[in-house]
Amino acid sequence: MRRYISHQFPNQLRTYTGLLLASIMVVIAIDFFLMSSDYAQHSFKQLINKQPLLSFAITPITIVLIVYIAKYYCHYIQGSGIPQLIAANDSRNKSIRERLLSFRVALGKIGFIFIGMLGGAPIGIEGPSIHIGGSIFYGFNRFIKLKRKLLIHSLIAIGGSAGLIVAFNAPIAGFLFAYEEIGRNLKKQALILIALVSGLVYLLAIVYRGNNPYLTNMSQYSLDFGLAWQLLPLAILSGILGGLFSKTMLFLVQKFISHTKIKVIVIALILGLIIASFNYLSKGQIAGSGHNEVLLMLAGDQPGLGFVVMKYIATLSSLVSTIPGGLFMPSISIGAGIGSEAANYYTQINIQIVTIMAMIAYLSAVIRAPLTAVFVILEMTVSLHLIIPGLLVAFTANWISKQISAQPIYEALADNYLKITQRS
């Protein structure tokens, strides 16, 4: 038994010291990242709310500059960062892992997300947080010097899990995401180490900044499970919209791949103008992650169908442009908008419950990780008592989405990164 345990876990004190230091650094770095991103998106929204026309100057220029610099000088910081983490964990090539994950990549991610949000890009912070967490933990391998493949790849999954935990204050979701996406090819024994360090990161985050939910406490709202079947049409609709989003995004990313600088600039400019148009029409409402808009919808506000359409197209445009930015929170805000509109047709279910279920369903349909979608939303809203209807809508939407887009979005993008790194 002792030999078995020593083979599965590190057996040197410096390894655990390194894991502790990496955990502390992730908590501090991501908390700073969240605060700086929040400041950037609020600054843009305040400016555009007063002078909407400025969006047509600020947003396209920002998108073009970020796309150009990222593509030709900092290629591996593009997108959400989750595909890079999956690609690094799937690769057995050390040089590929070091290109996708490093302290330099983490710093670049923080800087470019700040600039993107300052320019009105409709992007989130959770995917980048996962990428930052993975980069920091993998960067620490230079000091703790793990050799066995099991432990090295566990380290990457731990970092991704830690990034999600700190970003959303969602420990269960962080661990499940490591299981569903990042570490899906790891041996089961590795999950024990991931769980232990994830718990440590969660405790450190609580000590550092408190234990407030990322969204708001919705524990006072409940649902009669006998009414859960009424949520199936909402799950089906969310599954269709989420599946179409993924399929369209993957198609356009492949279509717009170009190595000609003029084409890269023109495409980025067009996509930037599309986003700018929606920033102008919404007076900055669709810019940023959508965090504030979700809070308003959970409080009962109904922004209208226009918000859903604009956020959907703007988020799609932003991700297709390949600028650094996350998908979770923008997707959650779209789901909340769908639920807010659908709530008008539910007379027996509270609007807040419908909104939460739509958030779960749409996120599950987009990222195709139903367990993560359920727990991240329920932990962010302190609503774990809704787990049964949450699982029902998540797996329904996931199945519907799979019929439209067979390969999960992050897995498909990770395959692209592996191809790129192998060619370069």
Side-chain angles (χ1 to χ4, degrees):
M1 176 63 72
R2 183 179 299 177
R3 182 181 299 176
Y4 174 82
I5 293 175
S6 66
H7 179 72
Q8 304 303 332
F9 295 97
N11 52 20
Q12 294 184 340
L13 179 61
R14 71 173 184 183
T15 300
Y16 292 99
T17 302
L19 290 173
L20 175 62
L21 292 175
S23 299
I24 294 171
M25 182 177 286
V26 164
V27 171
I28 295 172
I30 294 180
D31 189 64
F32 170 78
F33 173 55
L34 297 179
M35 289 191 296
S36 63
S37 300
D38 199 45
Y39 170 81
Q41 59 183 311
H42 283 155
S43 297
F44 177 83
K45 288 185 177 186
Q46 288 177 352
L47 176 63
I48 298 305
N49 187 49
K50 296 176 182 177
Q51 302 182 56
L53 281 171
L54 282 178
S55 179
F56 288 103
I58 296 173
T59 303
I61 292 173
T62 302
I63 298 292
V64 169
L65 285 175
I66 292 176
V67 168
Y68 184 83
I69 295 171
K71 184 174 180 64
Y72 294 106
Y73 300 100
C74 311
H75 183 73
Y76 302 116
I77 67 166
Q78 292 175 302
S80 76
I82 294 173
Q84 290 94 311
L85 212 67
I86 295 173
N89 217 23
D90 287 349
S91 174
R92 295 296 180 262
N93 190 312
K94 181 180 178 182
S95 64
I96 289 177
R97 293 197 299 268
E98 290 181 346
R99 289 182 222 171
L100 297 171
L101 304 173
S102 67
F103 292 136
R104 183 181 64 83
V105 167
L107 288 172
K109 205 81 175 184
I110 293 172
F112 277 100
I113 296 290
F114 178 82
I115 296 170
M117 286 191 164
L118 203 58
I123 51 179
I125 47 82
E126 71 304 312
S129 296
I130 290 168
H131 196 188
I132 292 166
S135 294
I136 290 174
F137 266 89
Y138 187 71
F140 262 84
N141 192 45
R142 297 179 182 179
F143 307 104
I144 58 183
K145 299 185 183 301
L146 295 175
K147 299 294 184 183
R148 295 196 296 274
K149 289 180 180 179
L150 170 66
L151 297 179
I152 291 173
H153 291 277
S154 296
L155 195 65
I156 297 171
I158 287 168
S161 174
L164 183 57
I165 289 169
V166 179
F168 283 156
N169 196 26
I172 302 174
F175 172 75
L176 287 174
F177 189 71
Y179 171 74
E180 282 191 299
E181 285 287 351
I182 306 167
R184 63 189 186 282
N185 293 328
L186 288 176
K187 295 179 180 179
K188 291 180 180 179
Q189 297 91 329
L191 297 176
I192 301 173
L193 183 61
I194 295 169
L196 290 173
V197 182
S198 295
L200 171 64
V201 170
Y202 178 57
L203 292 175
L204 289 171
I206 291 175
V207 171
Y208 185 73
R209 65 179 186 191
N211 193 27
N212 296 321
Y214 184 73
L215 289 176
T216 188
N217 191 330
M218 295 277 108
S219 59
Q220 70 271 32
Y221 297 100
S222 60
L223 172 67
D224 181 352
F225 293 156
L227 300 175
W229 65 270
Q230 295 185 15
L231 297 168
L232 288 176
L234 179 64
I236 293 169
L237 174 62
S238 299
I240 293 170
L241 293 175
L244 289 173
F245 183 96
S246 297
K247 192 173 185 68
T248 305
M249 180 194 167
L250 293 174
F251 172 78
L252 291 177
V253 165
Q254 292 294 334
K255 198 76 173 176
F256 290 163
I257 287 177
S258 173
H259 298 287
T260 305
K261 291 186 178 181
I262 296 298
K263 288 184 178 180
V264 169
I265 293 171
V266 170
I267 291 171
L269 180 61
I270 292 171
L271 294 172
L273 286 170
I274 292 172
I275 297 169
S277 299
F278 293 133
N279 280 337
Y280 170 77
L281 293 172
S282 67
K283 293 186 177 180
Q285 189 181 37
I286 63 98
S289 67
H291 178 258
N292 286 343
E293 288 71 29
V294 172
L295 290 176
L296 290 172
M297 284 183 271
L298 287 173
D301 183 54
Q302 293 181 296
L305 187 60
F307 170 81
V308 178
V309 173
M310 289 190 290
K311 190 71 175 180
Y312 189 97
I313 299 174
T315 302
L316 183 62
S317 300
S318 176
L319 293 170
V320 169
S321 76
T322 70
I323 70 168
L327 177 59
F328 269 59
M329 202 61 217
S331 296
I332 290 170
S333 68
I334 294 168
I338 294 170
S340 177
E341 288 300 299
N344 295 322
Y345 302 96
Y346 286 90
T347 57
Q348 296 178 290
I349 303 177
N350 191 284
I351 183 174
Q352 279 79 11
I353 298 294
V354 177
T355 302
I356 290 171
M357 291 299 120
M359 289 157 60
I360 291 172
Y362 183 75
L363 180 63
S364 177
V366 172
I367 68 172
R368 297 276 302 285
L371 291 176
T372 299
V374 171
F375 281 95
V376 77
I377 301 297
L378 296 185
E379 286 186 283
M380 288 195 297
T381 56
V382 196
S383 304
L384 285 171
H385 60 286
L386 298 173
I387 187 170
I388 293 177
L391 290 170
L392 172 66
V393 299
F395 279 96
T396 300
N398 180 71
W399 185 84
I400 295 292
S401 176
K402 187 177 181 180
Q403 310 314 304
I404 299 170
S405 182
Q407 190 175 25
I409 189 169
Y410 290 136
E411 188 178 306
L413 293 173
D415 289 344
N416 287 341
Y417 274 103
L418 282 175
K419 291 174 184 175
I420 291 169
T421 51
Q422 286 166 358
R423 286 198 303 264
S424 59

